[in-house]
Amino acid sequence: MKSVLVGTLLLGIAQLSVAQRPQPSRGACAFTVAELEGALDAKLEAGRGSELVFSGGKQLTCTYRGKGLVSVLLTQMHMDNPKSGEDSFDRFAAGTMEPVAGDKDKARWQLGQGDMTGVTLHYWRSGTSYQVRVNGVDVKNKSAVEAMRTRVLKLRRLP
């Protein structure tokens, strides 16, 4: 019994060590600067990407910085079990979600996130959850938000 407990503890510790700190990743930056600048009408620097492996999948994150508060954050959540990922995507409830009418990838806008509020599009495609967040937009200015939403929807869908 004691050896089973020790074995279980060692396995748990090994799993924790697998879920390590984010590592640099070029693959996380799936958009080129040129395509983001062209679609979003914002001057951006090359993206800085990271990959975080965890039990059940991995998260790729890329930040493209611009001037002032402007930035674009791309997050890709790849799940080993796509069905559980899709179920989680459907239950995701940070802030309020507003569906994009008729979107085949279940796209929706995320609203009301406190300090994290920006123009944020979420969608699900090929077993992966995607989030494209554009910061630096005056979210109290309805016309600025609508203009940026139109631009974000022009970006190609990944993968």
Side-chain angles (χ1 to χ4, degrees):
M1 179 69 175
K2 187 176 181 181
S3 63
V4 171
L5 180 60
V6 171
T8 303
L9 285 173
L10 289 175
L11 180 61
I13 290 168
Q15 287 178 336
L16 286 175
S17 67
V18 171
Q20 46 191 287
R21 285 182 268 159
Q23 300 298 314
S25 171
R26 290 185 184 179
C29 299
F31 292 118
T32 66
V33 171
E35 72 184 307
L36 287 172
E37 288 180 340
L40 305 179
D41 193 30
K43 185 75 176 151
L44 299 166
E45 297 174 4
R48 294 186 53 160
S50 65
E51 178 178 324
L52 177 64
V53 177
F54 57 89
S55 178
K58 69 180 176 179
Q59 176 177 309
L60 299 171
T61 304
C62 185
T63 302
Y64 304 83
R65 298 201 183 280
K67 291 190 178 193
L69 299 175
V70 175
S71 67
V72 175
L73 176 67
L74 169 64
T75 304
Q76 305 169 66
M77 187 74 70
H78 302 283
M79 302 302 293
D80 293 340
N81 178 348
K83 179 64 177 146
S84 71
E86 188 170 9
D87 291 345
S88 297
F89 181 80
D90 288 337
R91 288 191 307 268
F92 183 73
T96 304
M97 293 294 178
E98 179 183 298
V100 175
D103 191 89
K104 65 181 177 182
D105 298 320
K106 295 184 177 181
R108 55 198 179 185
W109 299 107
Q110 186 175 4
L111 313 168
Q113 308 163 77
D115 290 346
M116 295 299 291
T117 299
V119 173
T120 306
L121 180 71
H122 291 262
Y123 61 95
W124 178 263
R125 185 178 238 198
S126 302
T128 301
S129 170
Y130 296 92
Q131 178 190 92
V132 180
R133 179 186 306 271
V134 181
N135 295 305
V137 178
D138 181 0
V139 295
K140 293 179 181 174
N141 180 334
K142 194 171 186 165
S143 63
V145 169
E146 288 304 317
M148 186 55 72
R149 282 182 170 190
T150 299
R151 291 183 185 121
V152 169
L153 288 174
K154 289 180 182 177
L155 285 170
R156 70 180 165 91
R157 294 285 174 97
L158 304 170

